[in-house]
Amino acid sequence: MTSIKPQPGIMDIALYVGGKSSVEGMDNVLKLSSNENPWGPSEDAKEALVRASLALHRYPSTDHAALREAIGDVWSLDPARILCGNGSGELLMMIAQAYAGKGDEVLFTEHGFAMYPIYANANGAKPVVVAERERVVDVDALLAACTKKTKVVYIANPANPTGTMLGEADLARLADGLPKGAVLVLDGAYAEFVEGYDAGAALIDQRDNVIMTRTFSKIYGLGGLRIGWAYGPQHIIDVLMRLRGPFNLSAPALAAAEAAMRDTAHTAKVRADNAKQRDWMAHALSEIGIPSDVSEANFILARFASEEEAKACNDYLTSQGILLRYVGNYGLPSCIRITVGDEASCRRVVHAITQFKEGAA
């Protein structure tokens, strides 16, 4: 037995398992398990990445000034209150590191992103799971679960894997009802898919206890480069800056992200194409008896009659080379999350599920 012991909470972490990306012995696999953008990044982002490759011998910017300025220009935000990270995951972890430790509590909802309890345990805090109401974040339940030990409250808006979201009034009520000293974290990984949604920026500008995180992995199609950003009160950004590594983003990633952010026409096209295919797929599945909540993201949560049916359908689709995300580990044992693909992909999924339903009848 070794005498070398990790910090409390670390061995309580269940390792995160990502969506499957391959099927042994099978080509032409359709991967719709990780909420990736099927249309990919903008041409401007690709060109910026290539140009950046000419200077790989140089260290990247440490202040990310050009990217922060681009984000500020597009979203009408103060660049001084923007912090960039290695994906939004780094930033979400840094928030827990900064504000939650031994004896503290970190709150999140029962169907929330699987990394939230990991962030709590990694910093010795207690993860507290709060019930949702029909797959929607329940503000009253969250506020009732708060104690003097509550330091961080994570919610994704829109939520993953449900696709549901809270309105501005509910978010404000949640922020205003938190205990003194607690931080509300709005995980906005899918915020750009919602037309006209500021992801909580106005809320943040009126309060000192709210911060939002965003990512370039979804609508911008840059998941492979790992870029995220946060916007919050100056006092929180100043704290997080002290935890951020000086070279946490590579020069190619910074260049591609800046170009992607400024190519608003591409972003708008992806948003529109996603909404069209998402709504078509949700309607087509409802026609064969598989309902889903109205999704505001780039996926839908298909609800089956039972856990057995959901697992059987997922196995059948895998046998057909279609990879979706069975979400029993999210407390949704009768559900499968389906990433929105292009038109051909969505039609292939619906056709395969229809075949499964007909064969199971």
Side-chain angles (χ1 to χ4, degrees):
M1 295 290 290
T2 179
S3 60
I4 302 172
K5 304 294 183 182
Q7 289 294 314
I10 292 179
M11 295 310 294
D12 295 325
I13 294 173
L15 296 180
Y16 179 81
V17 179
K20 292 182 179 180
S21 59
S22 63
V23 179
E24 187 175 354
M26 187 175 293
D27 296 324
N28 192 30
V29 171
L30 174 59
K31 183 189 176 191
L32 297 175
S33 57
S34 299
N35 297 343
E36 294 159 327
N37 180 343
W39 297 282
S42 79
E43 292 301 318
D44 289 354
K46 294 177 186 177
E47 292 171 7
L49 186 68
V50 172
R51 288 195 301 272
S53 70
L54 301 176
L56 294 181
H57 56 300
R58 303 295 184 190
Y59 279 104
S61 159
T62 59
D63 63 8
H64 309 153
L67 177 55
R68 289 189 294 108
E69 183 178 351
I71 295 169
D73 287 347
V74 171
W75 288 95
S76 299
L77 302 174
D78 179 4
R81 293 165 58 191
I82 295 171
L83 177 70
C84 300
N86 184 246
S88 58
E90 181 188 34
L91 300 167
L92 292 165
M93 172 64 96
M94 286 166 55
I95 293 167
Q97 185 180 358
Y99 295 104
K102 186 176 180 180
D104 297 328
E105 295 177 347
V106 173
L107 271 61
F108 49 91
T109 61
E110 63 179 316
H111 306 312
F113 183 37
M115 288 300 297
Y116 299 154
I118 291 178
Y119 301 144
N121 282 321
N123 292 285
K126 178 183 177 181
V128 178
V129 184
V130 179
E132 295 187 6
R133 182 180 299 173
E134 295 185 348
R135 299 166 303 280
V136 179
V137 170
D138 187 332
V139 172
D140 293 323
L142 276 171
L143 292 177
C146 288
T147 70
K148 292 185 296 183
K149 297 179 180 180
T150 302
K151 298 302 180 184
V152 177
V153 177
Y154 290 113
I155 69 165
N157 206 45
N160 173 30
T162 62
T164 59
M165 68 181 294
L166 294 181
E168 185 175 339
D170 280 329
L171 291 176
R173 189 161 66 88
L174 177 57
D176 293 342
L178 291 184
K180 186 177 180 180
V183 178
L184 173 60
V185 185
L186 301 178
D187 180 350
Y190 302 95
E192 292 86 354
F193 291 104
V194 185
E195 186 72 44
Y197 178 46
D198 72 355
L203 197 72
I204 291 165
D205 288 340
Q206 298 161 5
R207 292 164 178 79
D208 69 352
N209 67 337
V210 186
I211 184 171
M212 69 175 175
T213 61
R214 308 283 282 278
T215 184
F216 282 86
S217 296
K218 304 305 179 182
I219 205 167
Y220 300 105
L222 295 175
L225 290 182
R226 312 309 306 133
I227 315 142
W229 59 280
Y231 177 71
Q234 194 67 62
H235 72 95
I236 293 181
I237 297 300
D238 288 346
V239 169
L240 299 181
M241 279 292 293
R242 286 161 168 75
L243 296 175
R244 179 182 69 84
F247 300 113
N248 63 327
L249 282 177
S250 70
L254 287 166
E258 180 186 352
M261 176 59 64
R262 292 194 181 280
D263 191 353
T264 55
H266 180 76
T267 306
K269 185 178 187 306
V270 172
R271 183 186 302 113
D273 289 346
N274 174 79
K276 179 181 178 181
Q277 299 307 324
R278 178 191 65 206
D279 297 347
W280 177 86
M281 184 163 58
H283 177 74
L285 290 176
S286 70
E287 291 284 289
I288 58 173
I290 302 173
S292 59
D293 297 315
V294 175
S295 173
E296 301 291 350
N298 69 334
F299 55 84
I300 64 172
L301 185 68
R303 303 201 308 273
F304 291 79
S306 65
E307 178 178 352
E308 291 72 23
E309 185 185 38
K311 286 182 174 179
C313 183
N314 191 59
D315 290 343
Y316 173 77
L317 292 169
T318 300
S319 74
Q320 301 301 302
I322 300 173
L323 298 177
L324 307 182
R325 189 68 180 268
Y326 174 68
V327 287
N329 63 317
Y330 277 92
L332 295 160
S334 63
C335 298
I336 297 176
R337 191 189 68 191
I338 308 172
T339 301
V340 176
D342 57 18
E343 181 176 357
S345 299
C346 290
R347 290 187 179 278
R348 181 178 168 186
V349 169
V350 171
H351 177 70
I353 295 177
T354 301
Q355 287 185 316
F356 165 79
K357 292 285 284 185
E358 291 174 346

